[in-house]
Amino acid sequence: MRLLIVVLILVVQTVEVEGDVFMEWAKLQKDFWDWRMRMSPELSTSKHVYRYNDLLTPLNLTQFTLVKIGVDGFLGQLRTINRSALSGKEQMNFDVLEDLLQMFSESHKWLEYAPVNRLNFLEGLTIGKKHSISGIPFHNRGDFENFLSRLEQYPNQIMEIIDNFRVAVRTGHTLHNVSIAKVPIQIDELITSTPEQFGYFAPFNDTLESITTIRQAVKDDFRERAKRYIADILISLGDLRDYIQNEYLPHTRSEWGVGSWDNGSFYRACLKFHLSVEMTPQEVHDEGLREVERITTAMEEILRAIGFDGSIKEFFAAAKKNKNYTKDTADEVLQLYRTMFEEIIWPKLPTMFKDVPDIKVRILPMTFDGPIGVYSPGSKDGTRPGIFYANVYRPQDILTFSMMPVLLHETVPGHHLQAIYSQTDNLRNYRKGISDRTYSNIPVTFPIYTAYTEGWGLYAEYLGEEMNLYTDKYEMLGRYALENFRACRLVIDTGLHMFNWTKERAVTYLMDHTSYGRADAEIEIDRYITLPGQACAYKIGEIRIKQIRKDAEQQLGKDFDVRDFHSVVLNIGPVPLNLLERAVGEWVQSVTDARQKAYVISPTCTSGTNRSRNLPLIAVICLILTTNR
Ligand SMILES: *[C@@H]1O[C@H](CO)[C@@H](O)[C@H](O)[C@H]1NC(C)=O
Ligand SMILES: *[C@@H]1O[C@H](CO)[C@@H](O)[C@H](O)[C@H]1NC(C)=O
Ligand SMILES: *[C@@H]1O[C@H](CO)[C@@H](O)[C@H](O)[C@H]1NC(C)=O
Ligand SMILES: *[C@@H]1O[C@H](CO)[C@@H](O)[C@H](O)[C@H]1NC(C)=O
Ligand SMILES: *[C@@H]1O[C@H](CO)[C@@H](O)[C@H](O)[C@H]1NC(C)=O
Ligand SMILES: *[C@@H]1O[C@H](CO)[C@@H](O)[C@H](O)[C@H]1NC(C)=O
Ligand SMILES: *[C@@H]1O[C@H](CO)[C@@H](O)[C@H](O)[C@H]1NC(C)=O
Ligand SMILES: *[C@@H]1O[C@H](CO)[C@@H](O)[C@H](O)[C@H]1NC(C)=O
């Protein structure tokens, strides 16, 4: 009885202490998210938080400093919270939030390096494109008033983009010509001859007309104002185009890379942002060289085995001309993707994963001529499904034996499976949607943990081997070609930005080791020149995930269950790789502990019971019994 009372008091006290900390912690997270929404009105709208629909995010550099001051404030508050009083799961949230804040704060010193170049050929201006307002509500008078208020502010935002470019020119931190030469053309494509034709006028046509609660006179007034504001936007867009054409382009940097900026420290900061772990450019480069050599050797062995005499480049060029390995139409390619997903991959998932929710992917043609494939996650309520968009613009160039790794990466067990997990979990808002994904700001922005997400995508391609999904030597060649492409990125990205590689050297290197032709290779290399470090996240992430798994396997031996391992990795959600490693380490520890307890108690306690089901409970009871005796 006395023992029981003591236990009860202990329980009550712990709850009280934890209650305080927990409330502080909950409040901090909420305050942070509210603040984040307030500082980023467009992001806020996209998250269905409509309080700031009348505002635009200031893009001037002072604003970045204000955000940094805010971030430092939250970091200070975070450090007053007793982390060890939180539960394991909350400690993980705590550590991720700390990383998000700290990375942002530290990156502020690169203010005059990255966010000063707001536009590039990959992230052209979206102002005026219809799709960029697709998340904005237009249901009532207030909605339109809000949007009109935004329209009125766009010329200022465009002016801020020009002002930032001026800082880039002044400090010598400009983009290379290949990154921006197309932007004036992209802007010209946006500019319309009348305001009514501009994308942002769209809601003032039929949508406004159909709203019966707004009087006609008000509608007329809205349209007049919209035309006036858009006319100003069109003038500003012209100014922006002229500025880039006449003043910025003549000052674009002559080096392909950014390695000379601050003696490489800027590039190292970009790498850190994308990899989420510390690695020097040399280490990344060397890792890439080793991987390229390993994969290239494997490919060459297969080429010999199938009796092909030429090089890798020649093999892929020949295969594209062989009707045995291609389809004629886009529909046939899509159909093959669907069959492979439904009949070959999905049924094999249970060999590697536990309890996968039955949420399938849709496979549709890509609506623009982008990469081989992209994945778009579904909505949390399930109303919009996850979609794999396949690029079928040139169906006859798609090698059927290269389709498997693409599917594995974009659908399951790759990005679609990740998305299924994040649809069913309860990740905090700041762990899902903190970033507006403006790549040009990197590293002066919140991390997005690409090494985790894309590392998993590439790991999924590897899992295809363990799941016996690559059925013949050709499919293995398809797999290796895609893997080598990511290994090449390590070599090329660091080559361009740190080791003085020219674009031509990079293009040749890529063509020599993958199935890429010249035109595609050039676009790819332009991307590396534009987004320093980004391309390295995939392979480094995959290598680390494999290493973490290998360590767990070694520690657990026959107790290692790969399906449990995968649950741990997927459930944790996007994190820096060192936190992933820690989470897996904790899981390994818990499995080890359970095994030891089972061993100690089994002679007396588990006889006659179903061990696998009752083990945890029995373990607790047995422990209490033993301690009390
Ligand atoms: C920059 O943005 C802030 C809002 O964060 C605004 O108060 C300030 O006037 C802007 N500065 C300039 C130079 O436009
Ligand atoms: C923090 O929490 C732990 C665990 O609840 C407790 O042991 C420790 O005393 C607390 N530290 C402070 C400074 O309150
Ligand atoms: C920049 O690129 C464009 C388009 O590729 C090209 O026409 C132009 O000559 C280049 N300018 C410089 C200075 O290299
Ligand atoms: C709005 O309607 C006018 C008149 O029909 C049309 O010319 C214009 O293109 C429409 N604007 C948009 C953005 O759809
Ligand atoms: C530049 O970086 C290299 C390698 O990181 C280092 O050896 C060298 O001392 C640095 N130079 C300066 C001026 O900091
Ligand atoms: C296509 O495959 C068939 C059957 O495997 C083979 O007989 C034929 O030679 C192949 N054609 C080409 C052009 O490789
Ligand atoms: C980089 O290459 C250029 C020519 O492509 C050369 O002029 C320059 O000296 C090289 N710089 C270094 C650090 O090797
Ligand atoms: C023990 O439980 C598991 C599932 O919980 C079940 O599959 C197994 O058949 C049970 N074994 C016995 C001996 O009852």
Side-chain angles (χ1 to χ4, degrees):
M1 192 58 184
R2 208 172 55 205
L3 183 74
L4 189 65
I5 291 169
V6 171
V7 169
L8 274 181
I9 288 170
L10 274 177
V11 168
V12 170
Q13 277 187 345
T14 333
V15 168
E16 242 172 40
V17 173
E18 275 181 358
D20 275 356
V21 177
F22 196 82
M23 269 161 58
E24 260 177 70
W25 169 230
K27 181 171 179 331
L28 171 62
Q29 293 171 93
K30 182 181 179 304
D31 290 350
F32 172 66
W33 186 248
D34 289 348
W35 171 84
R36 174 76 185 127
M37 291 293 96
R38 185 153 51 81
M39 299 310 265
S40 312
E42 294 97 325
L43 180 69
S44 169
T45 303
S46 75
K47 301 282 167 202
H48 311 293
V49 175
Y50 295 146
R51 275 195 294 284
Y52 314 108
N53 281 10
D54 59 333
L55 299 174
L56 290 177
T57 311
L59 300 181
N60 71 61
L61 298 185
T62 316
Q63 171 74 6
F64 280 85
T65 303
L66 286 180
V67 175
K68 190 231 188 240
I69 292 168
V71 161
D72 284 345
F74 285 110
L75 204 50
Q77 282 182 46
L78 183 93
R79 294 196 167 134
T80 66
I81 288 179
N82 185 355
R83 177 185 176 281
S84 45
L86 299 173
S87 70
K89 190 170 176 224
E90 290 308 325
Q91 287 185 0
M92 182 56 81
N93 285 333
F94 181 101
D95 293 344
V96 175
L97 183 55
E98 183 173 35
D99 186 72
L100 291 169
L101 296 170
Q102 201 167 318
M103 288 287 289
F104 191 102
S105 182
E106 281 171 12
S107 71
H108 187 255
K109 62 167 175 278
W110 303 116
L111 192 58
E112 294 192 345
Y113 295 69
V116 286
N117 296 300
R118 182 76 185 189
L119 305 175
N120 58 59
F121 83 107
L122 296 163
E123 292 180 287
L125 206 63
T126 54
I127 294 172
K129 287 193 180 157
K130 267 191 210 167
H131 70 75
S132 70
I133 53 169
S134 65
I136 302 179
F138 290 104
H139 302 305
N140 54 45
R141 191 172 167 155
D143 290 341
F144 279 92
E145 288 285 6
N146 283 338
F147 188 58
L148 282 164
S149 161
R150 277 193 179 169
L151 286 182
E152 199 178 1
Q153 296 166 62
Y154 275 115
N156 183 55
Q157 212 186 41
I158 295 168
M159 201 52 222
E160 290 179 314
I161 293 173
I162 297 177
D163 284 344
N164 292 349
F165 272 140
R166 290 207 161 97
V167 176
V169 170
R170 181 165 50 75
T171 56
H173 300 136
T174 49
L175 297 168
H176 192 278
N177 182 50
V178 298
S179 305
I180 189 158
K182 288 179 197 156
V183 172
I185 303 161
Q186 292 172 339
I187 295 174
D188 270 336
E189 285 165 0
L190 276 178
I191 296 177
T192 53
S193 49
T194 68
E196 291 97 317
Q197 291 163 304
F198 194 66
Y200 283 3
F201 195 78
F204 295 92
N205 276 347
D206 298 347
T207 313
L208 179 58
E209 203 47 47
S210 68
I211 298 175
T212 51
T213 53
I214 302 179
R215 281 182 296 118
Q216 193 56 44
V218 175
K219 289 180 181 173
D220 292 343
D221 172 56
F222 282 172
R223 290 192 178 111
E224 276 318 304
R225 281 160 67 195
K227 278 188 230 169
R228 219 166 53 233
Y229 299 148
I230 292 175
D232 286 344
I233 295 176
L234 290 170
I235 293 171
S236 300
L237 287 177
D239 292 345
L240 176 61
R241 178 205 48 213
D242 293 346
Y243 170 79
I244 297 174
Q245 197 75 57
N246 303 332
E247 294 183 49
Y248 189 91
L249 281 177
H251 289 96
T252 46
R253 68 169 189 254
S254 54
E255 296 98 355
W256 295 106
V258 295
S260 65
W261 294 2
D262 264 47
N263 193 25
S265 321
F266 173 71
Y267 180 61
R268 280 195 290 276
C270 292
L271 267 186
K272 171 80 193 290
F273 180 93
H274 292 291
L275 305 184
S276 76
V277 288
E278 297 281 358
M279 280 179 86
T280 65
Q282 189 71 56
E283 284 166 341
V284 174
H285 192 76
D286 292 346
E287 187 96 62
L289 288 173
R290 276 195 299 277
E291 283 289 271
V292 169
E293 192 184 331
R294 175 183 67 79
I295 302 162
T296 305
T297 306
M299 289 174 85
E300 280 166 355
E301 275 168 19
I302 298 182
L303 289 186
R304 299 297 90 86
I306 61 174
F308 187 86
D309 272 343
S311 66
I312 292 171
K313 189 163 70 175
E314 286 161 349
F315 168 80
F316 282 100
K320 281 180 189 168
K321 293 197 192 102
N322 186 333
K323 287 276 173 205
N324 275 0
Y325 307 130
T326 58
K327 298 273 174 204
D328 285 330
T329 67
D331 275 347
E332 284 174 288
V333 174
L334 290 169
Q335 199 45 53
L336 183 56
Y337 270 132
R338 291 182 188 125
T339 312
M340 287 165 71
F341 174 83
E342 284 283 341
E343 293 174 16
I344 303 178
I345 306 177
W346 188 271
K348 286 233 176 136
L349 277 189
T351 60
M352 286 286 155
F353 298 91
K354 275 184 175 159
D355 308 323
V356 178
D358 189 17
I359 303 175
K360 301 277 173 62
V361 76
R362 286 188 73 195
I363 297 178
L364 298 174
M366 198 181 285
T367 51
F368 64 100
D369 193 0
I372 316 172
V374 293
Y375 175 74
S376 158
S379 59
K380 200 171 166 72
D381 58 11
T383 50
R384 189 166 37 81
I387 302 173
F388 165 51
Y389 292 101
N391 185 338
V392 286
Y393 274 80
R394 288 168 298 280
Q396 289 155 1
D397 280 358
I398 299 173
L399 292 164
T400 49
F401 60 75
S402 291
M403 288 165 64
M404 180 57 83
V406 178
L407 265 181
L408 294 172
H409 185 112
E410 303 296 340
T411 69
V412 296
H415 295 321
H416 180 59
L417 191 58
Q418 282 180 318
I420 294 178
Y421 272 79
S422 76
Q423 266 177 46
T424 48
D425 69 14
N426 265 317
L427 278 193
R428 295 283 147 76
N429 41 26
Y430 57 86
R431 293 196 49 195
K432 284 192 205 226
I434 194 173
S435 171
D436 63 3
R437 297 194 168 256
T438 304
Y439 278 63
S440 51
N441 287 346
I442 291 171
V444 193
T445 183
F446 293 101
I448 45 180
Y449 306 133
T450 318
Y452 171 92
T453 47
E454 292 299 344
W456 177 266
L458 193 45
Y459 173 77
E461 294 174 32
Y462 157 73
L463 276 186
E465 284 185 35
E466 289 193 26
M467 292 161 80
N468 294 319
L469 292 171
Y470 301 110
T471 51
D472 61 17
K473 294 194 165 62
Y474 289 87
E475 284 204 318
M476 278 309 288
L477 280 173
R479 144 146 179 72
Y480 283 142
L482 214 55
E483 190 189 17
N484 221 11
F485 166 50
R486 273 58 150 268
C488 286
R489 285 174 162 186
L490 302 183
V491 179
I492 297 172
D493 199 284
T494 49
L496 286 166
H497 290 293
M498 278 315 278
F499 305 116
N500 211 20
W501 281 34
T502 61
K503 175 174 170 181
E504 185 53 31
R505 182 170 173 193
V507 168
T508 309
Y509 189 87
L510 190 63
M511 285 168 62
D512 282 348
H513 293 92
T514 64
S515 60
Y516 271 72
R518 173 164 287 274
D520 289 337
E522 288 210 17
I523 296 173
E524 191 63 29
I525 302 300
D526 288 349
R527 170 181 151 170
Y528 308 157
I529 293 167
T530 307
L531 306 174
Q534 199 273 343
C536 298
Y538 302 66
K539 192 74 203 169
I540 295 297
E542 181 229 26
I543 291 171
R544 289 292 172 112
I545 292 172
K546 276 176 156 173
Q547 184 61 46
I548 291 169
R549 173 175 159 180
K550 204 167 144 208
D551 291 346
E553 274 172 348
Q554 271 168 4
Q555 290 166 52
L556 289 177
K558 64 173 173 33
D559 288 332
F560 178 83
D561 182 338
V562 71
R563 302 190 305 160
D564 286 334
F565 169 77
H566 288 153
S567 296
V568 173
V569 176
L570 285 168
N571 275 320
I572 189 175
V575 285
L577 293 173
N578 60 340
L579 291 187
L580 176 66
E581 188 169 359
R582 196 185 76 203
V584 172
E586 284 165 3
W587 166 71
V588 167
Q589 193 57 48
S590 72
V591 177
T592 313
D593 290 350
R595 179 179 57 182
Q596 280 167 357
K597 278 175 196 154
Y599 178 72
V600 171
I601 64 187
S602 58
T604 49
C605 286
T606 62
S607 52
T609 61
N610 186 331
R611 281 187 50 159
S612 65
R613 181 178 309 175
N614 298 323
L615 191 57
L617 186 59
I618 294 164
V620 170
I621 293 170
C622 282
L623 271 179
I624 291 173
L625 289 179
T626 8
T627 13
N628 283 353
R629 248 203 311 263

